[in-house]
Coordinates of all heavy atoms in Angstrom, one line a residue:
M1 N -1.5 -15.4 -9.1 CA -2.4 -14.3 -8.9 C -1.6 -13.0 -9.1 O -0.4 -13.0 -9.0 CB -3.0 -14.4 -7.5 CG -4.0 -15.5 -7.4 SD -5.2 -15.3 -6.0 CE -6.1 -13.8 -6.5
S2 N -2.4 -12.0 -9.2 CA -1.8 -10.6 -9.3 C -2.5 -9.7 -8.4 O -3.5 -10.0 -7.8 CB -1.8 -10.1 -10.7 OG -3.1 -10.0 -11.2
C3 N -2.0 -8.5 -8.3 CA -2.6 -7.4 -7.4 C -4.1 -7.3 -7.7 O -4.5 -7.3 -8.9 CB -1.8 -6.2 -7.7 SG -2.3 -4.8 -6.6
R4 N -4.9 -7.1 -6.7 CA -6.3 -6.9 -6.9 C -6.5 -5.4 -7.2 O -6.2 -4.5 -6.4 CB -7.1 -7.2 -5.6 CG -7.3 -8.7 -5.4 CD -8.2 -8.9 -4.2 NE -7.6 -8.5 -3.0 CZ -6.7 -9.3 -2.3 NH1 -6.4 -10.5 -2.7 NH2 -6.2 -8.9 -1.2
V5 N -7.1 -5.1 -8.4 CA -7.4 -3.8 -8.8 C -8.4 -3.2 -7.8 O -9.4 -3.8 -7.4 CB -7.9 -3.7 -10.2 CG1 -8.3 -2.3 -10.6 CG2 -6.9 -4.3 -11.2
G6 N -8.1 -2.0 -7.3 CA -9.0 -1.3 -6.4 C -8.8 -1.7 -4.9 O -9.7 -1.4 -4.1
C7 N -7.8 -2.4 -4.6 CA -7.5 -2.9 -3.2 C -7.0 -1.7 -2.4 O -7.6 -1.2 -1.5 CB -6.6 -4.1 -3.1 SG -6.2 -4.6 -1.5
G8 N -5.8 -1.3 -2.7 CA -5.1 -0.1 -2.0 C -4.7 -0.4 -0.6 O -4.2 0.5 0.1
A9 N -4.8 -1.6 -0.1 CA -4.4 -1.9 1.3 C -2.9 -1.5 1.5 O -2.5 -1.0 2.6 CB -4.6 -3.4 1.6
C10 N -2.0 -1.8 0.5 CA -0.6 -1.5 0.7 C -0.3 0.0 0.6 O 0.8 0.5 0.9 CB 0.2 -2.2 -0.4 SG -0.2 -1.8 -2.1
C11 N -1.3 0.8 0.3 CA -1.2 2.3 0.2 C -1.8 2.9 1.5 O -1.9 4.1 1.6 CB -1.9 2.8 -1.0 SG -1.3 2.1 -2.6
I12 N -2.3 2.1 2.4 CA -3.0 2.6 3.6 C -2.3 2.0 4.8 O -1.9 2.8 5.7 CB -4.5 2.2 3.6 CG1 -5.2 2.9 2.4 CG2 -5.1 2.7 4.9 CD1 -6.6 2.4 2.2
A13 N -2.2 0.7 4.9 CA -1.8 0.1 6.2 C -0.3 0.3 6.6 O -0.1 0.7 7.7 CB -2.0 -1.4 6.1
P14 N 0.7 0.2 5.7 CA 2.0 0.3 6.1 C 2.6 1.7 6.2 O 2.1 2.7 5.6 CB 2.8 -0.5 5.1 CG 2.0 -0.3 3.9 CD 0.6 -0.3 4.3
T15 N 3.6 1.9 7.0 CA 4.4 3.1 7.0 C 5.2 3.2 5.8 O 5.8 2.1 5.3 CB 5.4 3.1 8.2 OG1 4.6 3.1 9.4 CG2 6.3 4.3 8.2
I16 N 5.3 4.3 5.1 CA 6.2 4.5 4.0 C 7.1 5.7 4.4 O 6.6 6.8 4.5 CB 5.4 4.8 2.7 CG1 4.5 3.6 2.3 CG2 6.4 5.1 1.5 CD1 3.6 3.7 1.1
S17 N 8.3 5.4 4.6 CA 9.2 6.4 5.1 C 9.8 7.3 4.0 O 10.3 8.4 4.3 CB 10.3 5.8 6.0 OG 11.1 4.9 5.2
S18 N 9.8 6.8 2.8 CA 10.4 7.6 1.7 C 9.4 8.7 1.2 O 8.2 8.5 1.4 CB 10.8 6.7 0.5 OG 9.8 5.9 0.2
A19 N 9.9 9.7 0.6 CA 9.0 10.8 0.1 C 8.1 10.3 -1.0 O 8.5 9.4 -1.8 CB 9.9 11.9 -0.5
I20 N 6.9 10.8 -1.0 CA 5.9 10.5 -2.0 C 5.5 11.9 -2.5 O 5.3 12.8 -1.7 CB 4.7 9.8 -1.3 CG1 5.1 8.5 -0.6 CG2 3.6 9.5 -2.4 CD1 4.1 7.9 0.3
P21 N 5.3 12.0 -3.8 CA 4.7 13.3 -4.3 C 3.5 13.7 -3.5 O 2.5 12.9 -3.4 CB 4.5 13.1 -5.8 CG 5.5 12.1 -6.2 CD 5.5 11.1 -4.9
G22 N 3.5 14.9 -2.9 CA 2.3 15.3 -2.1 C 2.5 14.9 -0.6 O 1.7 15.4 0.2
M23 N 3.5 14.1 -0.3 CA 3.7 13.6 1.1 C 5.3 13.6 1.2 O 5.8 12.5 1.3 CB 3.1 12.3 1.4 CG 1.6 12.3 1.2 SD 0.9 10.6 1.6 CE 0.3 10.9 3.3
P24 N 5.9 14.7 1.3 CA 7.4 14.7 1.3 C 8.1 14.0 2.5 O 9.2 13.6 2.4 CB 7.8 16.2 1.3 CG 6.5 16.9 1.8 CD 5.4 16.0 1.4
E25 N 7.3 13.8 3.5 CA 7.9 13.1 4.7 C 7.4 11.6 4.7 O 7.6 10.9 5.7 CB 7.4 13.8 6.0 CG 7.8 15.2 6.1 CD 9.3 15.5 6.1 OE1 10.0 14.7 6.8 OE2 9.7 16.4 5.4
G26 N 6.8 11.2 3.6 CA 6.3 9.8 3.6 C 4.9 9.8 4.3 O 4.3 10.8 4.4
K27 N 4.5 8.6 4.8 CA 3.2 8.5 5.4 C 3.3 7.5 6.6 O 4.0 6.6 6.6 CB 2.1 8.1 4.4 CG 2.3 6.7 3.8 CD 1.0 6.3 3.2 CE 0.4 5.0 3.7 NZ 0.3 4.6 5.0
A28 N 2.4 7.8 7.6 CA 2.4 6.9 8.7 C 1.4 5.7 8.4 O 0.6 5.8 7.5 CB 1.8 7.7 9.9
A29 N 1.6 4.7 9.2 CA 0.7 3.5 9.1 C -0.7 3.9 9.3 O -1.0 4.8 10.2 CB 1.1 2.5 10.2
G30 N -1.6 3.4 8.5 CA -3.0 3.7 8.6 C -3.5 4.9 7.9 O -4.7 5.2 7.9
V31 N -2.5 5.7 7.4 CA -2.9 7.0 6.7 C -3.0 6.7 5.2 O -2.1 6.0 4.7 CB -1.8 8.0 7.0 CG1 -2.0 9.3 6.1 CG2 -1.7 8.4 8.4
R32 N -4.0 7.1 4.6 CA -4.2 6.9 3.2 C -3.2 7.7 2.4 O -3.1 8.9 2.6 CB -5.7 7.3 2.9 CG -6.1 7.0 1.5 CD -7.6 7.4 1.3 NE -8.0 7.2 -0.1 CZ -8.5 6.1 -0.5 NH1 -8.6 5.0 0.3 NH2 -8.8 6.0 -1.8
C33 N -2.5 7.1 1.5 CA -1.6 7.9 0.6 C -2.4 8.8 -0.2 O -3.5 8.5 -0.8 CB -0.8 6.9 -0.3 SG 0.3 7.7 -1.4
V34 N -1.9 10.0 -0.4 CA -2.6 11.1 -1.2 C -2.6 10.7 -2.7 O -3.4 11.2 -3.4 CB -1.9 12.5 -1.1 CG1 -2.0 13.0 0.3 CG2 -0.5 12.5 -1.6
Q35 N -1.8 9.7 -3.1 CA -1.7 9.3 -4.5 C -2.7 8.1 -4.8 O -2.8 7.7 -5.9 CB -0.3 8.9 -4.9 CG 0.7 10.0 -4.8 CD 0.3 11.2 -5.8 OE1 -0.4 11.0 -6.8 NE2 0.7 12.4 -5.4
L36 N -3.5 7.7 -3.8 CA -4.5 6.7 -3.9 C -5.8 7.4 -4.3 O -6.3 8.2 -3.6 CB -4.7 5.9 -2.6 CG -5.4 4.6 -2.7 CD1 -4.7 3.6 -3.6 CD2 -5.5 4.0 -1.3
D37 N -6.3 7.0 -5.5 CA -7.5 7.7 -6.0 C -8.8 7.2 -5.3 O -8.7 6.2 -4.5 CB -7.6 7.7 -7.5 CG -7.9 6.4 -8.2 OD1 -8.3 5.5 -7.5 OD2 -7.7 6.3 -9.4
E38 N -9.9 7.7 -5.8 CA -11.2 7.3 -5.2 C -11.5 5.8 -5.4 O -12.3 5.2 -4.7 CB -12.4 8.1 -5.8 CG -12.2 9.6 -5.6 CD -11.2 10.2 -6.6 OE1 -11.0 9.7 -7.7 OE2 -10.5 11.2 -6.2
D39 N -10.9 5.2 -6.5 CA -11.1 3.8 -6.8 C -10.0 2.9 -6.2 O -9.9 1.8 -6.6 CB -11.2 3.6 -8.3 CG -12.4 4.3 -8.9 OD1 -13.5 4.3 -8.3 OD2 -12.2 4.9 -10.0
N40 N -9.3 3.5 -5.2 CA -8.1 2.8 -4.6 C -7.1 2.3 -5.6 O -6.6 1.2 -5.5 CB -8.6 1.6 -3.8 CG -9.4 2.1 -2.5 OD1 -9.1 3.1 -2.0 ND2 -10.4 1.3 -2.2
R41 N -6.8 3.2 -6.6 CA -5.8 2.9 -7.5 C -4.7 3.9 -7.4 O -5.0 5.1 -7.2 CB -6.3 3.0 -9.0 CG -7.3 1.8 -9.3 CD -7.9 2.0 -10.6 NE -8.4 0.7 -11.1 CZ -8.4 0.4 -12.3 NH1 -7.9 1.2 -13.3 NH2 -8.9 -0.8 -12.7
C42 N -3.4 3.5 -7.5 CA -2.3 4.4 -7.4 C -2.2 5.4 -8.6 O -2.1 4.9 -9.7 CB -1.0 3.6 -7.2 SG 0.5 4.7 -7.1
R43 N -2.2 6.7 -8.3 CA -2.1 7.6 -9.4 C -0.6 7.6 -10.0 O -0.4 8.1 -11.1 CB -2.4 9.0 -8.9 CG -3.8 9.3 -8.6 CD -4.0 10.7 -8.1 NE -5.4 10.9 -7.8 CZ -5.9 10.9 -6.5 NH1 -5.1 10.7 -5.5 NH2 -7.2 11.1 -6.3
L44 N 0.3 7.0 -9.2 CA 1.7 7.0 -9.7 C 2.2 5.7 -10.3 O 3.3 5.6 -10.7 CB 2.6 7.4 -8.5 CG 2.5 8.7 -7.9 CD1 3.4 8.9 -6.7 CD2 2.8 9.8 -8.9
F45 N 1.2 4.8 -10.5 CA 1.6 3.5 -11.0 C 2.2 3.7 -12.4 O 1.6 4.3 -13.2 CB 0.4 2.6 -11.1 CG 0.7 1.1 -11.3 CD1 1.1 0.3 -10.2 CD2 0.8 0.6 -12.6 CE1 1.4 -1.0 -10.4 CE2 1.1 -0.7 -12.8 CZ 1.4 -1.5 -11.7
G46 N 3.4 3.2 -12.6 CA 4.1 3.3 -13.9 C 4.8 4.7 -14.0 O 5.4 4.9 -15.0
D47 N 4.8 5.5 -13.0 CA 5.4 6.8 -13.0 C 6.8 6.7 -12.3 O 6.9 6.1 -11.2 CB 4.5 7.8 -12.3 CG 4.9 9.2 -12.3 OD1 6.1 9.5 -12.1 OD2 4.0 10.1 -12.6
A48 N 7.8 7.4 -12.8 CA 9.1 7.3 -12.3 C 9.2 8.0 -10.9 O 10.0 7.7 -10.1 CB 10.1 8.0 -13.2
R49 N 8.2 8.8 -10.5 CA 8.1 9.4 -9.2 C 7.6 8.5 -8.1 O 7.7 8.8 -6.9 CB 7.3 10.7 -9.3 CG 7.8 11.8 -10.2 CD 6.8 12.9 -10.3 NE 5.5 12.4 -10.8 CZ 4.4 13.0 -10.5 NH1 4.3 14.1 -9.8 NH2 3.3 12.5 -11.0
R50 N 7.1 7.4 -8.5 CA 6.6 6.4 -7.5 C 7.7 5.9 -6.7 O 8.8 5.5 -7.2 CB 5.9 5.2 -8.3 CG 5.2 4.2 -7.4 CD 4.5 3.2 -8.2 NE 3.8 2.2 -7.5 CZ 3.7 1.0 -7.8 NH1 4.2 0.5 -9.0 NH2 3.1 0.1 -7.0
P51 N 7.6 5.9 -5.3 CA 8.7 5.5 -4.5 C 9.1 4.0 -4.8 O 8.3 3.2 -5.1 CB 8.1 5.6 -3.1 CG 7.0 6.6 -3.2 CD 6.4 6.4 -4.6
S52 N 10.4 3.8 -4.7 CA 10.9 2.5 -5.0 C 10.3 1.4 -4.1 O 10.1 0.3 -4.5 CB 12.4 2.4 -5.0 OG 12.9 2.8 -3.7
V53 N 10.0 1.7 -2.8 CA 9.4 0.7 -2.0 C 8.1 0.3 -2.5 O 7.7 -0.9 -2.4 CB 9.3 1.3 -0.5 CG1 8.4 2.4 -0.4 CG2 9.0 0.1 0.5
C54 N 7.3 1.2 -3.1 CA 6.0 0.9 -3.7 C 6.2 0.1 -4.9 O 5.5 -0.9 -5.1 CB 5.3 2.2 -4.0 SG 4.9 3.2 -2.5
H55 N 7.2 0.5 -5.7 CA 7.5 -0.3 -7.0 C 7.8 -1.7 -6.7 O 7.4 -2.6 -7.4 CB 8.6 0.4 -7.7 CG 8.9 -0.2 -9.0 ND1 8.1 -0.2 -10.1 CD2 10.0 -1.0 -9.4 CE1 8.6 -0.9 -11.1 NE2 9.8 -1.4 -10.6
R56 N 8.6 -1.9 -5.6 CA 9.1 -3.3 -5.3 C 8.0 -4.2 -4.6 O 8.1 -5.4 -4.7 CB 10.3 -3.2 -4.3 CG 11.5 -2.7 -5.0 CD 12.8 -2.9 -4.1 NE 12.5 -2.5 -2.7 CZ 12.9 -1.3 -2.2 NH1 13.4 -0.4 -3.0 NH2 12.7 -1.0 -1.0
F57 N 7.0 -3.5 -4.0 CA 5.9 -4.3 -3.4 C 5.1 -5.1 -4.5 O 4.7 -4.5 -5.5 CB 5.0 -3.4 -2.6 CG 4.0 -4.2 -1.8 CD1 4.3 -4.7 -0.5 CD2 2.7 -4.5 -2.3 CE1 3.3 -5.4 0.2 CE2 1.8 -5.3 -1.6 CZ 2.1 -5.7 -0.4
D58 N 4.9 -6.4 -4.3 CA 4.2 -7.2 -5.3 C 3.2 -8.0 -4.6 O 3.4 -8.4 -3.4 CB 5.2 -8.0 -6.1 CG 4.6 -8.6 -7.4 OD1 3.5 -8.1 -7.8 OD2 5.3 -9.4 -8.0
Y59 N 2.2 -8.4 -5.2 CA 1.2 -9.3 -4.6 C 1.8 -10.6 -4.1 O 2.6 -11.2 -4.8 CB 0.1 -9.6 -5.7 CG -0.9 -10.6 -5.1 CD1 -2.0 -10.2 -4.4 CD2 -0.7 -11.9 -5.3 CE1 -2.9 -11.1 -3.9 CE2 -1.6 -12.9 -4.8 CZ -2.7 -12.4 -4.1 OH -3.6 -13.3 -3.6
D60 N 1.4 -10.9 -2.9 CA 1.8 -12.2 -2.4 C 0.6 -12.6 -1.5 O 0.2 -11.8 -0.6 CB 3.1 -12.1 -1.6 CG 3.5 -13.4 -1.1 OD1 2.8 -14.0 -0.2 OD2 4.6 -13.9 -1.5
R61 N 0.1 -13.8 -1.7 CA -1.1 -14.2 -0.9 C -0.9 -14.2 0.6 O -1.8 -13.8 1.4 CB -1.5 -15.6 -1.3 CG -2.7 -16.1 -0.6 CD -3.2 -17.5 -1.0 NE -4.6 -17.4 -1.3 CZ -5.2 -17.7 -2.4 NH1 -4.5 -18.2 -3.4 NH2 -6.5 -17.6 -2.5
S62 N 0.4 -14.4 1.0 CA 0.7 -14.4 2.5 C 0.5 -13.0 3.1 O 0.3 -12.8 4.3 CB 2.1 -14.9 2.8 OG 3.0 -14.1 2.3
V63 N 0.6 -12.0 2.2 CA 0.5 -10.6 2.7 C -0.9 -10.0 2.3 O -1.5 -9.2 3.0 CB 1.6 -9.7 2.1 CG1 1.5 -8.3 2.4 CG2 3.0 -10.2 2.5
C64 N -1.4 -10.4 1.1 CA -2.6 -9.8 0.6 C -3.8 -10.6 0.9 O -4.9 -10.1 0.7 CB -2.4 -9.6 -0.9 SG -1.0 -8.6 -1.3
G65 N -3.7 -11.8 1.4 CA -4.9 -12.6 1.7 C -5.8 -12.9 0.5 O -5.3 -12.8 -0.7
D66 N -7.0 -13.1 0.8 CA -8.0 -13.4 -0.3 C -9.0 -12.2 -0.5 O -9.9 -12.4 -1.4 CB -8.8 -14.6 0.1 CG -8.0 -15.9 0.1 OD1 -7.2 -16.0 -0.8 OD2 -8.1 -16.6 1.1
S67 N -8.8 -11.1 0.2 CA -9.7 -10.0 0.0 C -9.0 -8.7 0.4 O -8.0 -8.7 1.1 CB -11.0 -10.1 0.8 OG -10.7 -10.0 2.2
R68 N -9.6 -7.6 0.1 CA -9.0 -6.3 0.5 C -9.0 -6.2 2.0 O -8.1 -5.8 2.7 CB -9.8 -5.1 -0.1 CG -9.3 -3.8 0.4 CD -10.2 -2.7 -0.2 NE -9.6 -1.4 0.0 CZ -9.8 -0.6 1.1 NH1 -10.6 -1.0 2.0 NH2 -9.2 0.5 1.2
D69 N -10.2 -6.6 2.7 CA -10.3 -6.5 4.1 C -9.2 -7.4 4.8 O -8.6 -7.0 5.8 CB -11.7 -6.9 4.6 CG -12.7 -5.9 4.2 OD1 -12.4 -4.8 4.0 OD2 -13.9 -6.3 4.1
E70 N -9.0 -8.6 4.2 CA -8.0 -9.5 4.8 C -6.6 -8.9 4.6 O -5.7 -8.9 5.5 CB -8.0 -10.8 4.1 CG -7.2 -11.9 4.8 CD -7.4 -13.3 4.3 OE1 -8.3 -13.5 3.4 OE2 -6.6 -14.2 4.7
A71 N -6.3 -8.2 3.5 CA -5.0 -7.6 3.2 C -4.8 -6.5 4.3 O -3.7 -6.4 4.8 CB -5.0 -7.0 1.8
L72 N -5.8 -5.7 4.5 CA -5.6 -4.6 5.5 C -5.3 -5.2 6.9 O -4.4 -4.7 7.6 CB -6.9 -3.8 5.6 CG -7.1 -2.8 4.5 CD1 -8.5 -2.2 4.5 CD2 -6.1 -1.6 4.6
I73 N -6.0 -6.3 7.3 CA -5.7 -6.9 8.6 C -4.3 -7.5 8.6 O -3.6 -7.2 9.6 CB -6.8 -8.0 8.8 CG1 -8.1 -7.4 9.1 CG2 -6.3 -8.9 10.0 CD1 -9.3 -8.4 9.1
I74 N -3.9 -8.2 7.6 CA -2.5 -8.8 7.6 C -1.5 -7.7 7.6 O -0.5 -7.7 8.4 CB -2.4 -9.7 6.3 CG1 -3.3 -10.9 6.5 CG2 -0.9 -10.1 6.2 CD1 -3.4 -11.7 5.2
L75 N -1.6 -6.7 6.8 CA -0.6 -5.6 6.7 C -0.6 -4.8 8.0 O 0.5 -4.4 8.4 CB -0.9 -4.7 5.5 CG -0.6 -5.3 4.1 CD1 -1.2 -4.5 3.0 CD2 0.9 -5.5 4.0
E76 N -1.7 -4.5 8.6 CA -1.7 -3.8 9.9 C -1.0 -4.6 11.0 O -0.3 -4.1 11.8 CB -3.2 -3.5 10.3 CG -3.8 -2.4 9.5 CD -5.3 -2.3 9.6 OE1 -5.9 -3.2 10.3 OE2 -5.9 -1.3 9.0
D77 N -1.3 -5.9 10.9 CA -0.6 -6.8 11.9 C 0.9 -6.8 11.7 O 1.7 -6.8 12.7 CB -1.2 -8.2 11.8 CG -0.7 -9.2 12.9 OD1 -0.9 -8.8 14.1 OD2 -0.2 -10.2 12.6
L78 N 1.3 -6.9 10.5 CA 2.8 -6.9 10.2 C 3.4 -5.6 10.6 O 4.5 -5.6 11.2 CB 3.0 -7.1 8.7 CG 2.8 -8.5 8.1 CD1 2.8 -8.5 6.6 CD2 3.9 -9.4 8.7
E79 N 2.7 -4.5 10.4 CA 3.2 -3.2 10.8 C 3.3 -3.1 12.3 O 4.4 -2.7 12.8 CB 2.2 -2.1 10.3 CG 2.6 -0.7 10.6 CD 3.7 -0.2 9.7 OE1 3.9 -0.8 8.6 OE2 4.4 0.7 10.1
R80 N 2.4 -3.6 13.1 CA 2.4 -3.6 14.5 C 3.6 -4.5 15.0 O 4.3 -4.1 16.0 CB 1.2 -4.2 15.1 CG 0.1 -3.2 15.4 CD -1.0 -3.7 16.3 NE -1.6 -4.9 15.7 CZ -2.6 -4.9 14.8 NH1 -3.0 -3.8 14.3 NH2 -3.1 -6.1 14.3
H81 N 3.8 -5.6 14.4 CA 4.9 -6.5 14.8 C 6.3 -6.2 14.4 O 7.2 -6.8 14.9 CB 4.5 -8.0 14.5 CG 3.4 -8.5 15.3 ND1 2.1 -8.4 14.9 CD2 3.4 -9.0 16.5 CE1 1.3 -8.9 15.9 NE2 2.1 -9.3 16.9
T82 N 6.4 -5.3 13.4 CA 7.8 -4.9 13.0 C 8.2 -3.7 13.7 O 9.4 -3.3 13.6 CB 7.8 -4.7 11.4 OG1 6.9 -3.6 11.1 CG2 7.5 -5.9 10.7
G83 N 7.3 -3.0 14.4 CA 7.7 -1.9 15.2 C 8.1 -0.6 14.4 O 8.8 0.2 14.9
T84 N 7.6 -0.5 13.2 CA 7.9 0.6 12.3 C 6.9 1.7 12.5 O 7.1 2.8 12.0 CB 8.0 0.2 10.8 OG1 6.7 -0.4 10.5 CG2 9.1 -0.8 10.6
S85 N 5.8 1.5 13.2 CA 4.8 2.6 13.3 C 4.9 3.2 14.7 O 5.6 2.8 15.6 CB 3.4 2.0 13.1 OG 3.1 1.1 14.0

């Protein structure tokens, strides 16, 4: 499988500590990335300015589940249990 177009869970649920264009301090868990458009697509996809942590994130069923809602639940749970938020 591959990333679900229009999901955006990985751009909302986790903390991103590296700078993002428009968010120089990164983003907190649960905060929507400013680079996520209205269709939940990354405006920086394929752009060299995209943070490396975002570039390295890849679809995995264990993290993304079977739906956007499930991905949000899994990622929020991982965030809580890693103590990064």
Side-chain angles (χ1 to χ4, degrees):
M1 290 200 63
S2 61
C3 187
R4 281 186 294 278
V5 174
C7 176
C10 59
C11 303
I12 298 168
T15 298
I16 298 176
S17 58
S18 52
I20 302 165
M23 300 179 101
E25 303 298 318
K27 64 167 238 43
V31 173
R32 185 180 178 87
C33 179
V34 298
Q35 296 300 333
L36 195 60
D37 72 13
E38 304 78 29
D39 295 321
N40 291 325
R41 292 175 160 214
C42 177
R43 291 182 182 100
L44 296 176
F45 195 84
D47 187 314
R49 298 174 301 153
R50 186 174 179 215
S52 60
V53 67
C54 300
H55 180 73
R56 288 190 315 264
F57 187 87
D58 196 12
Y59 174 88
D60 186 293
R61 181 179 228 124
S62 68
V63 176
C64 300
D66 294 315
S67 68
R68 178 182 192 270
D69 290 338
E70 193 173 351
L72 283 166
I73 291 167
I74 294 168
L75 287 166
E76 288 165 354
D77 188 57
L78 286 169
E79 184 72 23
R80 270 191 305 278
H81 287 92
T82 59
T84 58
S85 62

